Amino acid sequence: MLKIALSKGRIFEDTLPLLAQAGIEAVDNPKTSRKLILDTNQDDIKLVVIRASDVPTYVEYGAADIGVAGKDVLMEYDNDDLYEPLDLKIAQCKMMVAGFKDADIPNHRRLRIATKYVNITQRYFAEQGRQVEIIKLYGSMELAPIVNLADLIVDLVETGNTLKANGLVPLEHIADISSRLVVNKAAMKMQHEKIKDLLNHLGKAVAAK
Ligand code: ATP
Ligand code: PRP
């Protein structure tokens, strides 16, 4: 049995057409089904539906053999125990530092950065020798500078519409983000042929897009 972990929302929607090209289709409608393990047209392949940020955990522990996760989630998880053999080139965006255009940067205290990406933010500013105070949030980061919770934010930017709608601008580029296929190391050994075959098909589907 091969279990593939996906998160609902944009990753699910963008991955299903790639899986379909590899001959894998969900039996139930994933948009309406409340099931967390979905059967596919192949008896030995199931789709496991979980939160985006939980995908690396499921795959590292072998609760899923394969997963699709944003590079942001993988950078934040920061663990070498996963193979990352394929860039699916879906859910593309950028990890940015953002804030007000001409913000007064305080010099009597450390810069305050609001983000849900605490590890990435920590590493980025540490590499530059900049001392910052990180404020962990779980969403709606764009609000933080407006209500004076933080000086800057670290978040994903795609069209820039969310920043713009809140009077903010992108300031510094941290990383290009897209979703990656991740594979459990033991599964890669134990189910090598099946996984290699799937990687081949998905690689072709990505290239054809
Ligand atoms: P969780 O449920 O774990 O909090 P989430 O709400 O961030 O995760 P999604 O919004 O579905 O989950 O995002 C999944 C992935 O899609 C992110 O990890 C990121 O790689 C990518 N992503 C997020 N926002 C955008 C965007 N605006 N444009 C393109 N890709 C995005
Ligand atoms: C993401 C991200 C930004 C927005 C950027 O949020 O956190 O807020 O997209 O996209 P844009 O540059 O095209 O405006 P998302 O829509 O995933 O909402 P969520 O964080 O609540 O899941």
Side-chain angles (χ1 to χ4, degrees):
M1 181 62 65
L2 202 63
K3 288 194 233 76
I4 305 177
L6 297 172
S7 56
K8 278 219 165 154
R10 53 171 63 85
I11 287 191
F12 215 100
E13 272 159 38
D14 293 355
T15 306
L16 285 186
L18 296 175
L19 287 175
Q21 286 194 53
I24 301 165
E25 301 203 39
V27 171
D28 295 308
N29 181 346
K31 279 198 185 141
T32 50
S33 174
R34 302 287 298 165
K35 279 190 196 169
L36 298 176
I37 301 182
L38 300 175
D39 291 331
T40 71
N41 58 333
Q42 301 197 20
D43 284 346
D44 56 351
I45 300 183
K46 306 264 186 215
L47 304 181
V48 187
V49 185
I50 56 180
R51 287 286 296 264
S53 42
D54 289 335
V55 169
T57 310
Y58 273 69
V59 176
E60 183 192 343
Y61 286 89
D65 305 293
I66 290 181
V68 177
K71 186 67 184 174
D72 51 323
V73 169
L74 296 171
M75 286 164 65
E76 186 65 15
Y77 192 72
D78 192 26
N79 182 312
D80 289 337
D81 286 339
L82 295 170
Y83 287 127
E84 195 190 305
L86 186 62
D87 183 349
L88 296 172
K89 303 198 176 149
I90 57 170
Q92 291 182 315
C93 52
K94 292 178 191 307
M95 174 82 61
M96 305 280 303
V97 180
F100 289 116
K101 191 160 176 270
D102 299 308
D104 279 335
I105 299 302
N107 48 21
H108 60 286
R109 60 164 172 80
R110 284 187 294 169
L111 262 185
R112 282 197 201 117
I113 321 282
T115 187
K116 71 174 179 184
Y117 301 102
V118 171
N119 298 332
I120 294 171
T121 303
Q122 181 71 51
R123 282 199 301 272
Y124 176 73
F125 285 97
E127 272 163 19
Q128 304 188 352
R130 292 156 82 189
Q131 292 251 321
V132 295
E133 181 182 342
I134 298 171
I135 299 172
K136 163 89 184 178
L137 295 178
Y138 292 86
S140 303
M141 268 75 82
E142 293 86 354
L143 185 61
I146 300 172
V147 296
N148 257 321
L149 176 61
D151 303 299
L152 300 170
I153 63 171
V154 167
D155 195 12
L156 301 174
V157 180
E158 184 192 11
T159 60
N161 289 342
T162 311
L163 289 181
K164 201 167 167 198
N166 292 290
L168 305 175
V169 291
L171 297 169
E172 296 167 39
H173 174 268
I174 299 179
D176 289 331
I177 302 296
S178 57
S179 290
R180 313 298 165 97
L181 199 79
V182 286
V183 181
N184 173 271
K185 285 196 169 169
M188 190 68 128
K189 284 203 194 92
M190 308 283 287
Q191 307 203 60
H192 188 72
E193 283 310 311
K194 206 190 282 182
I195 292 176
K196 204 177 77 183
D197 192 48
L198 178 62
L199 280 173
N200 256 333
H201 281 102
L202 287 176
K204 282 187 188 138
V206 172
K209 259 189 33 172

Short mmCIF file of all heavy atoms in Angstrom, two decimals, residues 54-102:
data_model
loop_
_atom_site.label_atom_id
_atom_site.label_comp_id
_atom_site.label_asym_id
_atom_site.label_seq_id
_atom_site.Cartn_x
_atom_site.Cartn_y
_atom_site.Cartn_z
N ASP A 54 1.40 19.64 8.57
CA ASP A 54 1.62 18.31 9.15
C ASP A 54 2.23 17.32 8.16
O ASP A 54 2.64 16.22 8.55
CB ASP A 54 0.28 17.73 9.66
CG ASP A 54 -0.22 18.44 10.91
OD1 ASP A 54 0.61 19.01 11.65
OD2 ASP A 54 -1.44 18.41 11.15
N VAL A 55 2.29 17.68 6.88
CA VAL A 55 2.75 16.72 5.86
C VAL A 55 4.16 16.17 6.16
O VAL A 55 4.37 14.95 6.15
CB VAL A 55 2.65 17.32 4.43
CG1 VAL A 55 3.37 16.44 3.41
CG2 VAL A 55 1.19 17.49 4.03
N PRO A 56 5.16 17.04 6.47
CA PRO A 56 6.50 16.48 6.73
C PRO A 56 6.52 15.50 7.91
O PRO A 56 7.25 14.50 7.87
CB PRO A 56 7.36 17.72 7.04
CG PRO A 56 6.62 18.87 6.49
CD PRO A 56 5.16 18.51 6.52
N THR A 57 5.73 15.77 8.93
CA THR A 57 5.69 14.89 10.10
C THR A 57 5.16 13.51 9.71
O THR A 57 5.74 12.47 10.08
CB THR A 57 4.77 15.49 11.20
OG1 THR A 57 5.16 16.85 11.40
CG2 THR A 57 4.86 14.72 12.49
N TYR A 58 4.04 13.47 8.98
CA TYR A 58 3.46 12.18 8.57
C TYR A 58 4.47 11.39 7.73
O TYR A 58 4.61 10.18 7.90
CB TYR A 58 2.18 12.41 7.75
CG TYR A 58 0.94 12.53 8.60
CD1 TYR A 58 0.75 13.62 9.43
CD2 TYR A 58 -0.03 11.53 8.59
CE1 TYR A 58 -0.38 13.74 10.22
CE2 TYR A 58 -1.18 11.64 9.38
CZ TYR A 58 -1.34 12.74 10.18
OH TYR A 58 -2.45 12.84 10.96
N VAL A 59 5.16 12.09 6.83
CA VAL A 59 6.07 11.38 5.92
C VAL A 59 7.34 10.96 6.66
O VAL A 59 7.83 9.85 6.48
CB VAL A 59 6.38 12.23 4.67
CG1 VAL A 59 7.41 11.55 3.78
CG2 VAL A 59 5.10 12.49 3.89
N GLU A 60 7.86 11.82 7.53
CA GLU A 60 9.07 11.44 8.26
C GLU A 60 8.84 10.17 9.08
O GLU A 60 9.68 9.27 9.12
CB GLU A 60 9.53 12.57 9.20
CG GLU A 60 10.83 12.19 9.88
CD GLU A 60 11.23 13.09 11.04
OE1 GLU A 60 10.70 14.20 11.17
OE2 GLU A 60 12.07 12.62 11.83
N TYR A 61 7.67 10.09 9.74
CA TYR A 61 7.39 8.93 10.60
C TYR A 61 6.82 7.73 9.84
O TYR A 61 6.52 6.71 10.44
CB TYR A 61 6.45 9.34 11.75
CG TYR A 61 7.18 10.16 12.80
CD1 TYR A 61 7.27 11.53 12.69
CD2 TYR A 61 7.82 9.53 13.86
CE1 TYR A 61 7.96 12.28 13.62
CE2 TYR A 61 8.53 10.28 14.80
CZ TYR A 61 8.59 11.64 14.68
OH TYR A 61 9.29 12.38 15.60
N GLY A 62 6.62 7.89 8.53
CA GLY A 62 6.14 6.76 7.73
C GLY A 62 4.64 6.54 7.83
O GLY A 62 4.14 5.52 7.37
N ALA A 63 3.92 7.49 8.45
CA ALA A 63 2.45 7.39 8.50
C ALA A 63 1.89 7.62 7.10
O ALA A 63 0.79 7.18 6.78
CB ALA A 63 1.88 8.40 9.48
N ALA A 64 2.65 8.34 6.28
CA ALA A 64 2.40 8.41 4.83
C ALA A 64 3.74 8.12 4.17
O ALA A 64 4.79 8.45 4.71
CB ALA A 64 1.89 9.78 4.44
N ASP A 65 3.71 7.48 3.00
CA ASP A 65 4.96 7.14 2.31
C ASP A 65 5.49 8.32 1.52
O ASP A 65 6.70 8.50 1.38
CB ASP A 65 4.73 5.96 1.35
CG ASP A 65 4.13 4.78 2.09
OD1 ASP A 65 4.83 4.22 2.93
OD2 ASP A 65 2.94 4.47 1.85
N ILE A 66 4.53 9.10 1.00
CA ILE A 66 4.84 10.21 0.10
C ILE A 66 3.96 11.38 0.53
O ILE A 66 2.88 11.17 1.08
CB ILE A 66 4.49 9.80 -1.35
CG1 ILE A 66 5.49 8.74 -1.83
CG2 ILE A 66 4.47 10.98 -2.30
CD1 ILE A 66 5.25 8.29 -3.24
N GLY A 67 4.41 12.61 0.26
CA GLY A 67 3.55 13.76 0.56
C GLY A 67 3.86 14.88 -0.40
O GLY A 67 4.88 14.87 -1.10
N VAL A 68 2.95 15.86 -0.41
CA VAL A 68 3.21 17.08 -1.18
C VAL A 68 3.18 18.23 -0.18
O VAL A 68 2.20 18.40 0.55
CB VAL A 68 2.15 17.28 -2.28
CG1 VAL A 68 2.40 18.59 -3.01
CG2 VAL A 68 2.17 16.11 -3.26
N ALA A 69 4.29 18.98 -0.13
CA ALA A 69 4.39 20.06 0.85
C ALA A 69 5.05 21.28 0.23
O ALA A 69 5.95 21.15 -0.61
CB ALA A 69 5.21 19.61 2.06
N GLY A 70 4.62 22.45 0.64
CA GLY A 70 5.24 23.70 0.19
C GLY A 70 6.68 23.77 0.70
O GLY A 70 6.99 23.28 1.79
N LYS A 71 7.55 24.39 -0.12
CA LYS A 71 8.95 24.55 0.30
C LYS A 71 9.02 25.36 1.60
O LYS A 71 9.92 25.16 2.42
CB LYS A 71 9.74 25.24 -0.83
CG LYS A 71 11.23 25.33 -0.57
CD LYS A 71 11.92 23.97 -0.56
CE LYS A 71 13.38 24.06 -0.21
NZ LYS A 71 14.02 22.73 -0.06
N ASP A 72 8.06 26.27 1.79
CA ASP A 72 7.99 27.05 3.03
C ASP A 72 7.84 26.13 4.24
O ASP A 72 8.54 26.26 5.24
CB ASP A 72 6.84 28.07 2.98
CG ASP A 72 5.51 27.44 2.59
OD1 ASP A 72 5.51 26.53 1.74
OD2 ASP A 72 4.47 27.84 3.14
N VAL A 73 6.93 25.16 4.10
CA VAL A 73 6.68 24.21 5.19
C VAL A 73 7.92 23.35 5.44
O VAL A 73 8.31 23.10 6.59
CB VAL A 73 5.44 23.33 4.84
CG1 VAL A 73 5.31 22.16 5.79
CG2 VAL A 73 4.18 24.18 4.86
N LEU A 74 8.59 22.95 4.35
CA LEU A 74 9.79 22.10 4.48
C LEU A 74 10.95 22.89 5.08
O LEU A 74 11.69 22.37 5.93
CB LEU A 74 10.19 21.52 3.12
CG LEU A 74 9.14 20.58 2.51
CD1 LEU A 74 9.51 20.24 1.07
CD2 LEU A 74 9.01 19.31 3.35
N MET A 75 11.12 24.14 4.68
CA MET A 75 12.19 24.96 5.25
C MET A 75 11.94 25.19 6.75
O MET A 75 12.87 25.21 7.55
CB MET A 75 12.27 26.32 4.54
CG MET A 75 12.86 26.28 3.14
SD MET A 75 12.50 27.79 2.20
CE MET A 75 13.39 29.01 3.13
N GLU A 76 10.69 25.37 7.10
CA GLU A 76 10.36 25.61 8.51
C GLU A 76 10.55 24.33 9.32
O GLU A 76 11.02 24.37 10.45
CB GLU A 76 8.90 26.12 8.60
CG GLU A 76 8.45 26.54 9.97
CD GLU A 76 9.17 27.76 10.54
OE1 GLU A 76 9.85 28.47 9.79
OE2 GLU A 76 9.08 27.97 11.76
N TYR A 77 10.21 23.19 8.74
CA TYR A 77 10.35 21.89 9.42
C TYR A 77 11.83 21.54 9.58
O TYR A 77 12.25 20.99 10.59
CB TYR A 77 9.62 20.83 8.59
CG TYR A 77 9.43 19.50 9.28
CD1 TYR A 77 8.52 19.37 10.33
CD2 TYR A 77 10.13 18.36 8.88
CE1 TYR A 77 8.33 18.15 10.95
CE2 TYR A 77 9.93 17.14 9.49
CZ TYR A 77 9.04 17.04 10.53
OH TYR A 77 8.85 15.83 11.14
N ASP A 78 12.62 21.86 8.55
CA ASP A 78 14.09 21.79 8.60
C ASP A 78 14.61 20.47 9.13
O ASP A 78 15.21 20.41 10.21
CB ASP A 78 14.59 22.95 9.49
CG ASP A 78 16.10 23.13 9.36
OD1 ASP A 78 16.63 22.75 8.30
OD2 ASP A 78 16.73 23.63 10.30
N ASN A 79 14.38 19.41 8.37
CA ASN A 79 14.78 18.08 8.81
C ASN A 79 15.33 17.31 7.61
O ASN A 79 14.71 17.29 6.56
CB ASN A 79 13.53 17.39 9.39
CG ASN A 79 13.82 16.03 9.93
OD1 ASN A 79 14.47 15.23 9.28
ND2 ASN A 79 13.31 15.76 11.12
N ASP A 80 16.49 16.69 7.80
CA ASP A 80 17.14 15.98 6.68
C ASP A 80 16.59 14.58 6.46
O ASP A 80 17.04 13.87 5.56
CB ASP A 80 18.65 15.85 6.94
CG ASP A 80 19.33 17.19 6.82
OD1 ASP A 80 18.76 18.07 6.13
OD2 ASP A 80 20.41 17.38 7.41
N ASP A 81 15.63 14.16 7.29
CA ASP A 81 15.17 12.77 7.21
C ASP A 81 14.12 12.52 6.14
O ASP A 81 13.42 11.50 6.19
CB ASP A 81 14.64 12.32 8.58
CG ASP A 81 15.80 12.09 9.55
OD1 ASP A 81 16.93 11.89 9.06
OD2 ASP A 81 15.57 12.13 10.76
N LEU A 82 13.98 13.43 5.20
CA LEU A 82 13.00 13.24 4.13
C LEU A 82 13.72 13.37 2.80
O LEU A 82 14.58 14.23 2.65
CB LEU A 82 11.94 14.35 4.17
CG LEU A 82 11.01 14.43 5.36
CD1 LEU A 82 10.23 15.74 5.31
CD2 LEU A 82 10.06 13.26 5.33
N TYR A 83 13.35 12.55 1.82
CA TYR A 83 13.82 12.79 0.46
C TYR A 83 12.91 13.82 -0.19
O TYR A 83 11.70 13.83 0.06
CB TYR A 83 13.76 11.51 -0.38
CG TYR A 83 14.82 10.49 -0.04
CD1 TYR A 83 14.48 9.18 0.25
CD2 TYR A 83 16.17 10.85 -0.05
CE1 TYR A 83 15.44 8.23 0.55
CE2 TYR A 83 17.15 9.90 0.25
CZ TYR A 83 16.77 8.60 0.56
OH TYR A 83 17.73 7.68 0.84
N GLU A 84 13.51 14.66 -1.01
CA GLU A 84 12.71 15.70 -1.71
C GLU A 84 13.05 15.61 -3.19
O GLU A 84 13.76 16.45 -3.74
CB GLU A 84 13.11 17.06 -1.12
CG GLU A 84 12.18 18.19 -1.45
CD GLU A 84 12.77 19.53 -1.03
OE1 GLU A 84 13.12 19.68 0.15
OE2 GLU A 84 12.89 20.40 -1.90
N PRO A 85 12.56 14.54 -3.87
CA PRO A 85 13.08 14.25 -5.22
C PRO A 85 12.48 15.07 -6.36
O PRO A 85 13.03 15.05 -7.45
CB PRO A 85 12.73 12.77 -5.41
CG PRO A 85 11.50 12.57 -4.58
CD PRO A 85 11.60 13.51 -3.42
N LEU A 86 11.34 15.75 -6.13
CA LEU A 86 10.70 16.39 -7.29
C LEU A 86 10.03 17.71 -6.92
O LEU A 86 9.26 17.79 -5.96
CB LEU A 86 9.64 15.41 -7.87
CG LEU A 86 8.95 15.80 -9.16
CD1 LEU A 86 9.93 15.93 -10.31
CD2 LEU A 86 7.86 14.79 -9.50
N ASP A 87 10.35 18.75 -7.72
CA ASP A 87 9.66 20.04 -7.61
C ASP A 87 8.43 19.97 -8.50
O ASP A 87 8.55 19.84 -9.72
CB ASP A 87 10.61 21.16 -8.08
CG ASP A 87 10.01 22.54 -7.92
OD1 ASP A 87 8.79 22.64 -7.64
OD2 ASP A 87 10.75 23.52 -8.06
N LEU A 88 7.24 20.03 -7.90
CA LEU A 88 6.01 19.90 -8.69
C LEU A 88 5.63 21.22 -9.37
O LEU A 88 4.69 21.26 -10.18
CB LEU A 88 4.86 19.41 -7.80
CG LEU A 88 5.03 18.01 -7.22
CD1 LEU A 88 3.93 17.71 -6.21
CD2 LEU A 88 5.04 16.94 -8.32
N LYS A 89 6.33 22.29 -9.00
CA LYS A 89 6.14 23.61 -9.63
C LYS A 89 4.70 24.11 -9.52
O LYS A 89 4.21 24.83 -10.40
CB LYS A 89 6.62 23.60 -11.08
CG LYS A 89 8.08 23.18 -11.15
CD LYS A 89 8.75 23.53 -12.44
CE LYS A 89 10.23 23.17 -12.37
NZ LYS A 89 10.84 22.80 -13.60
N ILE A 90 4.01 23.70 -8.45
CA ILE A 90 2.66 24.21 -8.19
C ILE A 90 2.71 25.09 -6.94
O ILE A 90 3.70 25.07 -6.21
CB ILE A 90 1.65 23.05 -7.99
CG1 ILE A 90 2.11 22.14 -6.83
CG2 ILE A 90 1.47 22.25 -9.27
CD1 ILE A 90 1.06 21.12 -6.40
N ALA A 91 1.63 25.84 -6.72
CA ALA A 91 1.53 26.75 -5.55
C ALA A 91 2.79 27.60 -5.44
O ALA A 91 3.45 27.65 -4.41
CB ALA A 91 1.27 25.95 -4.27
N GLN A 92 3.10 28.27 -6.55
CA GLN A 92 4.35 29.06 -6.60
C GLN A 92 4.14 30.46 -6.02
O GLN A 92 3.13 31.12 -6.31
CB GLN A 92 4.84 29.17 -8.04
CG GLN A 92 5.33 27.83 -8.56
CD GLN A 92 5.88 27.89 -9.97
OE1 GLN A 92 5.29 28.50 -10.84
NE2 GLN A 92 7.00 27.25 -10.18
N CYS A 93 5.05 30.87 -5.20
CA CYS A 93 5.00 32.19 -4.59
C CYS A 93 6.38 32.52 -4.03
O CYS A 93 7.33 31.77 -4.31
CB CYS A 93 3.93 32.24 -3.50
SG CYS A 93 4.07 30.94 -2.26
N LYS A 94 6.49 33.61 -3.29
CA LYS A 94 7.79 33.98 -2.72
C LYS A 94 7.66 34.23 -1.23
O LYS A 94 6.64 34.75 -0.78
CB LYS A 94 8.32 35.27 -3.40
CG LYS A 94 8.68 35.06 -4.86
CD LYS A 94 9.15 36.34 -5.51
CE LYS A 94 9.25 36.22 -7.02
NZ LYS A 94 10.05 35.11 -7.52
N MET A 95 8.70 33.85 -0.52
CA MET A 95 8.77 34.18 0.91
C MET A 95 9.45 35.55 1.00
O MET A 95 10.56 35.71 0.49
CB MET A 95 9.59 33.11 1.62
CG MET A 95 9.87 33.37 3.07
SD MET A 95 8.53 32.94 4.17
CE MET A 95 8.35 31.20 3.88
N MET A 96 8.76 36.51 1.61
CA MET A 96 9.28 37.88 1.62
C MET A 96 9.23 38.50 3.02
O MET A 96 8.39 38.13 3.83
CB MET A 96 8.40 38.80 0.72
CG MET A 96 8.19 38.37 -0.71
SD MET A 96 9.55 38.74 -1.84
CE MET A 96 9.77 40.49 -1.70
N VAL A 97 10.10 39.47 3.22
CA VAL A 97 9.93 40.40 4.34
C VAL A 97 9.08 41.53 3.79
O VAL A 97 9.33 42.00 2.67
CB VAL A 97 11.28 40.97 4.82
CG1 VAL A 97 11.06 41.93 5.99
CG2 VAL A 97 12.23 39.84 5.22
N ALA A 98 8.05 41.96 4.52
CA ALA A 98 7.19 43.05 4.04
C ALA A 98 6.90 44.01 5.18
O ALA A 98 7.05 43.67 6.35
CB ALA A 98 5.90 42.47 3.46
N GLY A 99 6.47 45.21 4.80
CA GLY A 99 6.14 46.21 5.81
C GLY A 99 5.67 47.48 5.14
O GLY A 99 5.41 47.50 3.93
N PHE A 100 5.59 48.56 5.90
CA PHE A 100 5.23 49.86 5.31
C PHE A 100 6.40 50.37 4.48
O PHE A 100 7.57 50.11 4.82
CB PHE A 100 4.87 50.87 6.40
CG PHE A 100 3.56 50.58 7.06
CD1 PHE A 100 3.50 50.24 8.41
CD2 PHE A 100 2.37 50.62 6.33
CE1 PHE A 100 2.29 49.96 9.02
CE2 PHE A 100 1.16 50.33 6.94
CZ PHE A 100 1.11 50.01 8.29
N LYS A 101 6.08 51.14 3.42
CA LYS A 101 7.11 51.59 2.48
C LYS A 101 8.21 52.39 3.18
O LYS A 101 9.38 52.10 3.02
CB LYS A 101 6.46 52.41 1.36
CG LYS A 101 7.37 52.72 0.21
CD LYS A 101 6.56 53.10 -1.04
CE LYS A 101 7.45 53.50 -2.16
NZ LYS A 101 7.75 54.94 -2.19
N ASP A 102 7.83 53.40 3.93
CA ASP A 102 8.85 54.24 4.56
C ASP A 102 8.75 54.14 6.08
O ASP A 102 8.68 55.17 6.76
CB ASP A 102 8.70 55.70 4.09
CG ASP A 102 8.87 55.80 2.58
OD1 ASP A 102 9.88 55.28 2.07
OD2 ASP A 102 7.98 56.37 1.92
#
